[in-house]
Amino acid sequence: MTKKQYSFDYEHFATAKELPQQDQELVEMAIEAAKKAYAPYSNFNVGASILLDNGTIVTGNNQENAAYPSGLCAERVALFYANANYPENAVKTIAVVAMKNNELVSTEVAPCGSCRQAILETETRFKTPIKMIMGGKAGFNIINNATELLPLSFTGDSL
Ligand code: THU
């Protein structure tokens, strides 16, 4: 038996004001998107904004459904829109925030496993690292590529 270890570095910023200007703008856009989420069942409003390599920013939010699994997370709504409409453009950065009662949730939001898998697909597709900004009242976690968010991952190379 060999013991192996996986570790990754990430950054934490206590407030949005400490983030670079471009990232602050993405966070603001994610917050505005969260306010427009359709989340009548969880009341957990999530917003995502995506910066493409041509400077375009697209946003999305969670879209729930009475048949629960038919809904979709904010990250994938935004990501699939970006990939559908800008198939030539790499995704550079994704900012995501979650809100309850019109306020940011206390801890930094963490994308679900399916979103991590979808984000990794886009990172692999465009061979460009995707920076993730994950916000909450406690601040912002920043990770510099999606690969680190999903260790021992399944990708097209596995097929
Ligand atoms: N949700 C997201 O949109 N993104 C996440 O990163 C976590 C969860 C949504 C799915 C569902 O509409 C609600 O939040 C509660 O799980």
Side-chain angles (χ1 to χ4, degrees):
M1 188 271 273
T2 317
K3 267 203 174 176
K4 302 200 176 195
Q5 202 181 19
Y6 175 84
S7 70
F8 65 94
D9 295 322
Y10 67 102
E11 294 155 12
H12 185 265
F13 291 76
T15 65
K17 284 195 188 105
E18 294 169 41
L19 295 170
Q21 185 62 38
Q22 172 88 271
D23 292 352
Q24 286 185 37
E25 189 188 333
L26 287 170
V27 167
E28 275 310 310
M29 292 182 78
I31 290 172
E32 288 313 306
K35 291 177 183 168
K36 292 185 270 187
Y38 178 64
Y41 303 105
S42 69
N43 292 311
F44 190 79
N45 282 33
V46 186
S49 61
I50 294 184
L51 173 68
L52 301 176
D53 67 358
N54 64 356
T56 301
I57 296 174
V58 304
T59 63
N61 45 37
N62 51 333
Q63 297 294 315
E64 295 188 347
N65 193 287
Y68 291 0
S70 299
L72 197 63
C73 293
E75 295 91 321
R76 276 175 290 159
V77 169
L79 190 64
F80 292 161
Y81 179 87
N83 290 165
N85 289 286
Y86 300 92
E88 308 299 334
N89 294 101
V91 168
K92 300 283 286 180
T93 310
I94 302 177
V96 52
V97 299
M99 300 178 82
K100 275 193 220 169
N101 302 319
N102 225 29
E103 280 186 26
L104 283 181
V105 295
S106 45
T107 48
E108 300 86 349
V109 67
C112 78
S114 296
C115 286
R116 290 175 199 223
Q117 184 72 34
I119 294 164
L120 181 63
E121 182 75 27
T122 299
E123 181 167 283
T124 310
R125 171 178 175 179
F126 292 107
K127 299 180 178 60
T128 303
I130 298 178
K131 172 173 161 181
M132 297 281 308
I133 304 168
M134 297 160 284
K137 269 189 199 151
F140 297 84
N141 286 330
I142 313 262
I143 193 162
N144 286 310
N145 63 72
T147 309
E148 293 187 339
L149 269 185
L150 200 60
L152 306 179
S153 53
F154 182 81
T155 67
D157 291 342
S158 316
L159 294 172

